[in-house]
Amino acid sequence: MLEGQAAGEGMGMESYHEDWTDSQRALYDECYRAGADWADDPDTPSEDVQHVINLAEADDDTLADAEIDFAPLVDAVTEATGEVVATVPASHDDPGFKGFVDGVRDGTSDETFGL
């Protein structure tokens, strides 16, 4: 099992931060699954998938502590936390953001966007 990977998980959920709590890891897992499912949905516009992949590839300096109101991401965090959120911090330190963008990136075939 990869370091940080949850027992029984085989979808590449190895991107936890060492200092995350169990609840932060659970949020990452939920958002990861939501991102992968969203990216795999044939009704999801390829431009939207590319936008999220760009966010996944950006470093936190580029993101500049922005808050994102991208509906699929906000919906994933809302569903995972059970709390209505309007925005999500655009930071790879945030488990909701990181989980969703990692899930989208991993859920997109390599041939699709040259990953």
Side-chain angles (χ1 to χ4, degrees):
M1 179 165 24
L2 297 173
E3 181 180 337
Q5 186 175 3
E9 297 294 343
M11 292 181 51
M13 294 180 211
E14 65 275 357
S15 296
Y16 298 141
H17 287 266
E18 289 180 17
D19 59 343
W20 280 355
T21 64
D22 287 344
S23 61
Q24 287 172 309
R25 290 174 185 222
L27 175 59
Y28 175 93
D29 289 348
E30 291 279 328
C31 290
Y32 181 99
R33 279 188 283 279
D37 290 346
W38 176 80
D40 193 43
D41 184 337
D43 291 333
T44 299
S46 60
E47 303 83 37
D48 289 354
V49 173
Q50 184 62 58
H51 173 70
V52 174
I53 290 171
N54 291 343
L55 290 172
E57 300 300 320
D59 61 29
D60 282 337
D61 290 338
T62 302
L63 297 172
D65 296 325
E67 292 280 326
I68 295 181
D69 63 357
F70 186 66
L73 170 60
V74 169
D75 293 347
V77 172
T78 295
E79 187 171 322
T81 62
E83 297 177 18
V84 177
V85 297
T87 61
V88 176
S91 169
H92 295 288
D93 292 330
D94 181 82
F97 174 83
K98 183 165 177 47
F100 188 82
V101 300
D102 285 356
V104 169
R105 187 180 53 221
D106 292 350
T108 304
S109 70
D110 291 348
E111 302 79 39
T112 304
F113 295 103
L115 297 174

